Amino acid sequence: MRSRPHVAGSTEFRLLGPVGIRDGATGADIVPPGSKQRALLAAFVTHAGTLLSADRLTEELWGSAPPTNAPNALQAHVGRLRRLLPAPQGPGAGDHEWISTLPTGYLLRLGHATTDVQHFGRLSAEGRAALASDPGRAAGLLRHALSLWRGPALQDSRTGPIGAIEADRLEEMRLCTLEALYEASLRCAQHGEIIGELEKLTAAHPLRERFYDLLMVSLYRSGRQAEALGVYERARRRLADALGIQPGPALSGRMEAILHHSPGLGAPADEPAAASAHPRPAAARNLGDEVARLQHRIDELVWEQRELVRRFDSVVARLPDL
């Protein structure tokens, strides 16, 4: 889905929680009553502007056991969904049709509508870009992005391959946004305020090393070195039990830094007066934000690659000997 600015009063298709629609004209929430229609709407919104073949939609709704009259059943579900959709808003709305029937399938066009996924992605990207130059603003943007979630992505509408893949993609985006949020909080010297939240996240995502890393730094900066080292041991046991592997070099390096009281672990100095007395030129700020955004994305990719390697190793380890 191509990102577009969020316009107040525009219809919004929603996937970050129960699948539904916010009517831009009335503000009413529309939730398709049947699971098949919710799955169908999720597939259309995920691939807005792209033709979805009847065969692909049939697989999404019924898997490997479609009804004998699958084309007619699919057509009926599309018809019910069309009747639920609100009247289009904005210029040229009278000529806009949400769902078009084409010779080989169906196509949803957003027109002037938006999606909560677009809104979340834009806020998350802006927050991550501001992380190095303005962590306070970054934290605000990232918390705003996360506040758009009303539950698990595509809740109760992810049994088909399109829904399952999109739900996994969005969950990964959410976790990366959480990681960036707590990094911003550390840059704002709020280490004591985020310990409880990070404890919950390490329990909920026991194989995600980045949360352990952030928690270790938060505890160390709060004068709790022994507990920070205990977090590393907890991560080591969980990874060994679940995947048969040891923590990666980033987490191991953090443990070593804590053991040796590395100066780089200290909380950032608060120097607002110096920053305001010597403001950077706009071009330098923009370049700095872009460099910070790219560096953070590189960090994310490193963590994601490490997680994929661990999952692959885990699968290989479970294969029977040939």
Side-chain angles (χ1 to χ4, degrees):
M1 294 177 293
R2 181 180 300 173
S3 179
R4 66 185 69 210
H6 180 73
V7 180
S10 63
T11 294
E12 182 180 70
F13 291 91
R14 312 178 90 182
L15 302 183
L16 303 179
V19 174
I21 309 124
R22 170 66 59 87
D23 188 332
T26 66
D29 289 327
I30 302 170
V31 179
S35 61
K36 293 282 192 295
Q37 288 173 49
R38 292 194 296 273
L40 185 62
L41 177 60
F44 279 140
V45 175
T46 297
H47 291 283
T50 302
L51 173 69
L52 287 173
S53 70
D55 289 343
R56 193 173 180 191
L57 290 171
T58 297
E59 180 187 13
E60 185 70 13
L61 299 191
W62 292 285
S64 59
T68 54
N69 61 340
N72 290 338
L74 175 61
Q75 187 178 35
H77 281 299
V78 172
R80 293 189 191 101
L81 185 58
R82 277 195 178 110
R83 290 192 289 273
L84 282 174
L85 295 174
Q89 305 292 315
D95 299 324
H96 181 71
E97 182 181 23
W98 290 118
I99 302 173
S100 302
T101 302
L102 301 173
T104 57
Y106 300 89
L107 171 68
L108 172 74
R109 293 185 176 90
L110 287 176
H112 295 283
T114 61
T115 73
D116 57 355
V117 173
Q118 293 171 340
H119 193 191
F120 168 73
R122 185 173 65 256
L123 288 168
S124 178
E126 290 177 4
R128 287 182 279 116
L131 193 57
S133 61
D134 192 346
R137 176 172 175 268
L141 288 165
L142 295 166
R143 284 198 181 276
H144 187 186
L146 291 162
S147 73
L148 300 177
W149 287 67
R150 298 164 289 110
L154 282 72
Q155 186 173 328
D156 301 326
S157 306
R158 46 185 169 177
T159 54
I162 294 175
I165 291 171
E166 180 67 357
D168 286 346
R169 185 186 75 86
L170 292 172
E171 176 63 8
E172 181 62 25
M173 287 178 61
R174 186 183 75 87
L175 294 175
C176 287
T177 301
L178 278 167
E179 291 169 351
L181 169 63
Y182 293 115
E183 183 177 339
S185 299
L186 286 174
R187 289 171 181 259
C188 292
Q190 296 174 347
H191 39 272
E193 301 171 25
I194 61 176
I195 289 173
E197 295 174 43
L198 286 168
E199 288 280 11
K200 292 177 182 177
L201 285 168
T202 58
H205 305 279
L207 305 182
R208 199 168 184 99
E209 292 187 37
R210 182 62 170 146
F211 288 138
Y212 292 111
D213 177 51
L214 293 162
L215 177 57
M216 289 167 67
V217 175
S218 299
L219 288 167
Y220 180 82
R221 289 183 181 176
S222 300
R224 299 159 66 177
Q225 181 191 19
E227 291 176 68
L229 294 173
V231 169
Y232 176 83
E233 180 60 22
R234 187 197 318 163
R236 188 194 65 76
R237 289 197 307 269
R238 287 175 175 172
L239 290 167
D241 292 344
L243 303 177
I245 61 173
Q246 293 298 308
L251 198 60
S252 298
R254 187 72 76 191
M255 184 268 292
E256 291 291 336
I258 288 173
L259 275 174
H260 296 95
H261 299 280
S262 171
L265 287 173
D270 185 14
E271 299 177 347
S276 59
H278 303 284
R280 291 183 298 161
R285 288 197 302 272
N286 292 339
L287 180 59
D289 287 349
E290 180 64 11
V291 170
R293 184 188 69 78
L294 291 173
Q295 182 59 58
H296 187 72
R297 183 56 186 150
I298 289 171
D299 293 341
E300 287 179 346
L301 289 171
V302 169
W303 284 99
E304 291 170 14
Q305 181 186 43
R306 189 174 297 123
E307 182 68 17
L308 287 172
V309 169
R310 290 195 187 92
R311 291 178 184 175
F312 176 79
D313 290 342
S314 175
V315 170
V316 171
R318 294 188 177 98
L319 291 175
D321 293 334
L322 298 178

